[in-house]
């Protein structure tokens, strides 16, 4: 099962908005509303940011939002802050035997 | 507040079996599903699979399924991972996590434990 496709890196400036894409197929991203996003800081465990495409867990800033169109999901971070600099991973349910697949990760740099 | 903590040997010899345990605190293991994920150095995340607290329902990543076994010990509020015939490619940080109900996301993660496969 191939991983979901994410850009390797994204760069933004403080205060700006950025969007990270996550492209899959109709067997995963496009077929189900079970896309989620994780933030991972260096040396730390991933933290759930978004689940079921658009939902934020309690305690996650509303600067983080998720969406989906066709086979591509997106994570948007508005009002970029320096501590948003981290790796971001998307994940989805897949109807293949893999059940849960991850994207390759995107490194966000805040200049 | 639910917390998960991985434990196990940090060094495993090639061809041997890697065994890890995740201890759940702040909640009973008798709900939800429980997962393992790993991250090789400098690389992305790889999902191992999940197991239901009863131990009767488990789903493994097909690429690892032939070498993976998960189990649950309700009396200790723990779940475990065994990975057989390890090679250097199994060197990674191993995370345990909670998968709520029938959802496909992982909402609580352990801090991770580093396992190195080397002779």
């Amino acid at each position: 099962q191939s991983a979901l496709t994410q850009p390797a890196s994204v760069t933004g400036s403080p205060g700006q908005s950025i969007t990270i894409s996550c492209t899959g197929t109709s067997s995963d991203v496009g077929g189900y509303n079970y896309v989620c996003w994780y933030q991972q800081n260096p040396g730390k465990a991933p933290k759930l940011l978004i689940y079921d495409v658009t939902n934020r867990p309690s305690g996650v800033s509303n600067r983080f939002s998720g969406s989906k169109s066709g086979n591509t999901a997106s994570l948007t971070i508005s009002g970029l802050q320096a501590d948003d600099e981290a790796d971001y991973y998307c994940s989805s349910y897949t109807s293949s035997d893999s059940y849960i697949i991850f994207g390759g990760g995107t490194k966000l740099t805040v200049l | 507040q639910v917390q998960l903590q991985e434990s196990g040997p940090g060094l495993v010899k090639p061809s041997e079996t890697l065994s890890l345990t995740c201890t759940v605190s702040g909640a009973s293991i008798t709900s939800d599903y429980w997962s393992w994920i790993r991250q090789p150095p400098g690389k992305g995340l790889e999902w191992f699979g999940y197991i239901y607290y009863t131990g009767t329902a488990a789903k493994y990543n097909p690429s690892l399924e032939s070498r993976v076994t998960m189990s649950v010990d309700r009396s200790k509020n723990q779940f475990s991972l065994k990975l057989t015939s390890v090679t250097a490619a199994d060197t990674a940080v191993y995370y345990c996590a909670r998968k709520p109900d029938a959802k496909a996301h992982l909402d609580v993660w352990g801090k991770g434990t580093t396992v190195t496969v080397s002779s």
Side-chain angles (χ1 to χ4, degrees):
Chain A
Q1 179 67 35
S2 300
L4 304 174
T5 301
Q6 298 181 233
S9 63
V10 170
T11 302
S13 300
Q16 284 187 334
S17 293
I18 63 97
T19 297
I20 299 171
S21 63
C22 171
T23 301
T25 69
S26 58
S27 296
D28 38 69
V29 173
Y32 307 89
N33 289 325
Y34 286 140
V35 177
C36 61
W37 292 89
Y38 301 94
Q39 176 191 60
Q40 187 179 33
N41 289 299
K44 301 294 186 182
K47 171 190 173 184
L48 181 66
L49 287 180
I50 299 287
Y51 67 96
D52 295 352
V53 181
T54 61
N55 295 328
R56 279 188 308 277
S58 174
V60 172
S61 171
N62 59 10
R63 296 187 301 106
F64 296 93
S65 62
S67 62
K68 188 183 82 167
S69 177
N71 295 336
T72 298
S74 299
L75 172 70
T76 297
I77 309 175
S78 59
L80 266 182
Q81 300 177 357
D83 61 3
D84 293 332
E85 190 162 286
D87 292 326
Y88 292 84
Y89 291 90
C90 65
S91 176
S92 174
Y93 168 83
T94 172
S95 57
S96 78
D97 284 341
S98 296
Y99 189 78
I100 290 178
I101 53 174
F102 286 99
T106 298
K107 182 175 181 58
L108 169 63
T109 301
V110 181
L111 296 175
Chain B
Q1 180 182 355
V2 182
Q3 292 186 315
L4 280 63
Q5 178 66 59
E6 305 87 351
S7 59
L11 181 64
V12 181
K13 289 182 168 57
S15 81
E16 294 190 343
T17 296
L18 179 161
S19 296
L20 296 174
T21 296
C22 182
T23 300
V24 180
S25 59
S28 172
I29 201 170
T30 57
S31 64
D32 299 316
Y33 296 76
W34 305 94
S35 288
W36 289 94
I37 307 94
R38 72 179 178 184
Q39 185 171 35
K43 296 187 178 181
L45 301 167
E46 180 177 31
W47 178 74
F48 264 84
Y50 70 77
I51 187 166
Y52 194 46
Y53 78 92
T54 58
T56 57
K59 183 73 174 177
Y60 301 141
N61 186 328
S63 69
L64 298 165
E65 187 168 13
S66 63
R67 299 195 292 135
V68 173
T69 302
M70 295 183 189
S71 59
V72 173
D73 187 335
R74 282 174 279 177
S75 68
K76 295 182 179 179
N77 229 37
Q78 295 176 335
F79 61 105
S80 298
L81 170 73
K82 290 189 187 298
L83 180 67
T84 61
S85 305
V86 297
T87 69
D90 294 311
T91 294
V93 177
Y94 285 74
Y95 297 99
C96 60
R98 182 178 73 175
K99 188 180 85 68
D101 297 326
K103 296 289 190 175
H105 60 272
L106 304 164
D107 66 343
V108 182
W109 293 63
K111 293 182 178 180
T113 187
T114 299
V115 178
T116 301
V117 178
S118 175
S119 55

